Amino acid sequence: DRNFTGQGKERLNHMKLLEERIRQEGIVKSGSVLKVDSFINHKVDPFLMKEIGKDFADHGITKIVTIESSGIAPALTTAIEMGIPMVILKKQPSKVLNKNLYQTMVTSFTKGTSYELTLSAEQIDETDHVLIIDDFLANGEAATGAIRLLRKAHATVAGLGILIEKSFQPGRDKLKEQGIHVYSLARISKLAENYIEFIPEEV
Ligand code: G4P
């Protein structure tokens, strides 16, 4: 496992902070979907994101990578904390002609949609050690797509930082099989009507 610098007491505080917020404002929708529009997906709490950025900060990383759009806020605060650039993987390719593009199809089970994830070869190369940051980990399709692109760029994937992991879905195992270390702040083991169960934090 990687030695995230935010480990210990501060990390535990951030985990609790996020869990409390999910308990207070999260709404469980049908199909085991957690709606967190009041602080992550629609309105964004910048102060929460700032704290989370400290938590994901790690040594030896050269770039933070995220997938648009909800991963951008925590990815940016992490990048600021570490003093390194953030790269956004695009879901809609730029209309400006660019020959050096890496592309891969990603299918979202939760939303029932597909998109072509795009990265320009100019932004990441074989010298990069990348930490991927995203808001949710469900089936792991988005993260797996991001990793495919980063491998095309010959970059090293150092890990995946997630705000909310739905541990009852196969994402974490899928990534573990690929040798990717997953670090999730909140791990949800069960979602039901008026009921959210978390996996207890470990320090
Ligand atoms: P996966 O990437 O882990 O495979 O997840 P999946 O395909 O099942 O879902 C893809 C989209 O659905 C992602 O957003 C993901 O963040 C979101 N998602 C999955 N489960 C939940 C949930 O319980 N609650 C919420 N709020 N979102 C969930 P996206 O399409 O990339 O959109 P964006 O929000 O980043 O723009």
Side-chain angles (χ1 to χ4, degrees):
D1 284 4
R2 293 194 65 82
N3 181 25
F4 284 93
T5 53
Q7 276 177 351
K9 209 172 165 204
E10 197 174 23
R11 174 179 121 171
L12 197 64
N13 285 340
H14 294 157
M15 286 171 152
K16 284 187 179 147
L17 205 69
L18 183 58
E19 278 190 19
E20 269 167 36
R21 202 62 186 270
I22 293 168
R23 284 198 196 284
Q24 281 163 9
E25 296 179 31
I27 299 162
V28 184
K29 294 291 199 183
S30 63
S32 293
V33 168
L34 178 70
K35 203 170 171 192
V36 284
D37 278 2
S38 64
F39 61 105
I40 295 178
N41 288 135
H42 199 10
K43 185 168 74 185
V44 177
D45 181 343
F47 305 103
L48 178 73
M49 293 303 167
K50 192 175 174 209
E51 290 308 303
I52 284 171
K54 290 179 195 165
D55 205 44
F56 284 138
D58 194 9
H59 298 294
I61 305 291
T62 61
K63 276 173 194 142
I64 300 295
V65 166
T66 192
I67 303 155
E68 59 179 356
S69 59
S70 298
I72 295 174
L76 182 66
T77 56
T78 307
I80 292 171
E81 190 66 32
M82 295 169 69
I84 58 174
M86 169 191 66
V87 175
I88 303 165
L89 302 180
K90 304 277 189 180
K91 285 178 181 165
Q92 282 172 341
S94 163
K95 287 186 182 73
V96 181
L97 193 70
N98 188 333
K99 279 184 226 152
N100 303 317
L101 294 180
Y102 302 117
Q103 292 186 304
T104 191
M105 283 301 290
V106 174
T107 301
S108 159
F109 294 111
T110 307
K111 295 189 175 170
T113 52
S114 288
Y115 53 87
E116 196 156 45
L117 209 57
T118 303
L119 165 68
S120 163
E122 284 166 33
Q123 309 310 339
I124 301 224
D125 62 30
E126 69 279 1
T127 62
D128 283 311
H129 287 252
V130 169
L131 175 63
I132 304 169
I133 301 284
D134 211 353
D135 57 339
F136 272 90
L137 176 61
N139 295 291
E141 287 303 313
T144 304
I147 292 160
R148 274 200 302 278
L149 280 191
L150 291 166
R151 293 211 165 128
K152 285 186 194 206
H154 301 287
T156 306
V157 180
L160 173 68
I162 293 289
L163 267 58
I164 304 175
E165 173 188 312
K166 292 157 83 183
S167 306
F168 53 90
Q169 290 186 300
R172 174 182 278 266
D173 287 342
K174 209 183 277 178
L175 291 155
K176 220 172 142 188
E177 279 166 22
Q178 299 172 63
I180 303 294
H181 171 57
V182 180
Y183 170 48
S184 307
L185 273 182
R187 301 182 68 194
I188 295 176
S189 49
K190 198 172 173 187
L191 275 182
E193 207 179 332
N194 296 321
Y195 182 75
I196 304 171
E197 188 182 86
F198 292 95
I199 296 177
E201 304 96 352
E202 295 162 21
V203 181

